[in-house]
Amino acid sequence: MIVDKLQAVRDRITTACVACGRDPAGVRLLAVSKTFGAEAVLAAVAGGQRAFGENYIQEGVDKILAVRAALESESDGLRPPGSRDASASEWHCIGPVQSNKTRLVAEHFDWVQSVDRLKIAQRLSEQRPSHLPPLQVCLQVNIDGGATKAGVAPQQAQALAVAVAGLPRLQLRGLMSIPEPAPDFVAACAVHQRARDLFDQINQAGVLPRPMDTLSMGMTADLEAAIHAGSTMVRVGTAIFGGR
Ligand SMILES: *Cc1c(COP(=O)(O)O)cnc(C)c1O
């Protein structure tokens, strides 16, 4: 059952926080629902989950519309007609964003964590509808340096952060990383620590209008190591929804 698996992941997060002396309230859980349908998302919502991550933009948009419609009809009669409980679900784009998909992201998602180029950020800012709050943004950092991987190089991350923080319809929230699987806990901690150090370094440089508050790292296999290194948001798919 999705509700039980969600609870098991929350327990893992709590145990990991206790083990390194952190407050579990400082780690958010993003449920990665890619490839699973709206019913799976609604089951997780029923279990108290609010934030969902999607990799494929068109699939994500279809799901967002289906889930929001279902949640609105469910709560009909509890609220004044026409009002919308925007807080019922929150959607994060965590997959590659090509130029021809920026409008869909800007119009439907609440967050995008996979920004790695200024040109994409500029389009998202221009296309974010004025009736919506600013799009919440994390920069994807290629922390372990794979040449073919997405993500801004660590040495260029600060300059990109400054540029993105200056765009009017975006709010820069932090960094996101997807390192290669590590052989063991110590190795996983070491690679996540590099992202943590970069995050601290950019915040401490005093170049941003306000400090970043989100360090998005850790998945099903390595969330404990990521929390140990300071993750504030783990992105978990398999442990909640099952294998893909
Ligand atoms: C699929 C995915 C996840 C979730 O991975 P699991 O191993 O299933 O927990 C997290 N982040 C990103 C960017 C993903 O693409």
Side-chain angles (χ1 to χ4, degrees):
M1 291 290 287
I2 285 174
V3 184
D4 304 312
K5 289 194 268 182
L6 250 181
Q7 191 52 50
V9 171
R10 292 195 190 109
D11 292 344
R12 277 178 68 186
I13 293 171
T14 302
T15 304
C17 286
V18 169
C20 61
R22 295 186 55 192
D23 179 355
V27 180
R28 283 190 82 191
L29 173 58
L30 182 72
V32 178
S33 45
K34 65 184 178 204
T35 78
F36 291 91
E39 334 72 56
V41 171
L42 290 167
V45 170
Q49 180 62 26
R50 171 159 182 264
F52 295 91
E54 290 287 333
N55 278 60
Y56 312 106
I57 289 161
Q58 189 61 58
E59 175 195 333
V61 169
D62 293 345
K63 211 175 298 178
I64 291 169
L65 296 175
V67 167
R68 288 199 169 133
L71 292 176
E72 273 168 39
S73 66
E74 231 171 54
S75 54
D76 271 356
L78 300 176
R79 286 175 298 105
S83 73
R84 168 175 146 184
D85 182 6
S87 67
S89 64
E90 177 186 289
W91 294 87
H92 296 230
C93 175
I94 59 173
V97 183
Q98 311 297 339
S99 294
N100 63 353
K101 291 283 169 33
T102 52
R103 184 174 297 280
L104 279 174
V105 173
E107 291 181 349
H108 296 282
F109 283 85
D110 304 294
W111 287 61
V112 52
Q113 301 196 11
S114 39
V115 169
D116 62 1
R117 284 180 286 157
L118 184 56
K119 182 182 157 220
I120 294 294
Q122 285 166 332
R123 288 176 66 92
L124 290 167
S125 182
E126 281 159 18
Q127 293 170 344
R128 181 66 168 176
S130 58
H131 68 276
L132 294 177
L135 187 60
Q136 310 295 298
V137 171
C138 291
L139 305 182
Q140 182 175 345
V141 179
N142 182 0
I143 202 69
D144 50 0
T148 59
K149 274 177 60 172
V152 62
Q155 317 81 267
Q156 264 114 56
Q158 179 168 314
L160 182 59
V162 170
V164 167
L167 293 171
R169 299 291 297 139
L170 305 185
Q171 185 175 343
L172 178 67
R173 296 296 296 271
L175 304 181
M176 183 271 260
S177 71
I178 320 174
E180 291 303 310
D184 56 40
F185 181 78
V186 172
C189 287
V191 69
H192 287 308
Q193 187 64 42
R194 300 224 297 271
R196 165 69 186 275
D197 290 344
L198 181 66
F199 178 83
D200 289 345
Q201 195 185 309
I202 295 173
N203 270 344
Q204 286 160 12
V207 290
L208 298 176
R210 64 180 117 172
M212 301 184 290
D213 62 6
T214 301
L215 182 54
S216 171
M217 56 189 195
M219 316 199 295
T220 292
D222 64 350
L223 71 88
E224 285 82 4
I227 287 171
H228 190 83
S231 172
T232 70
M233 189 185 294
V234 292
R235 309 178 308 268
V236 179
T238 308
I240 298 171
F241 296 108
R244 292 181 292 271

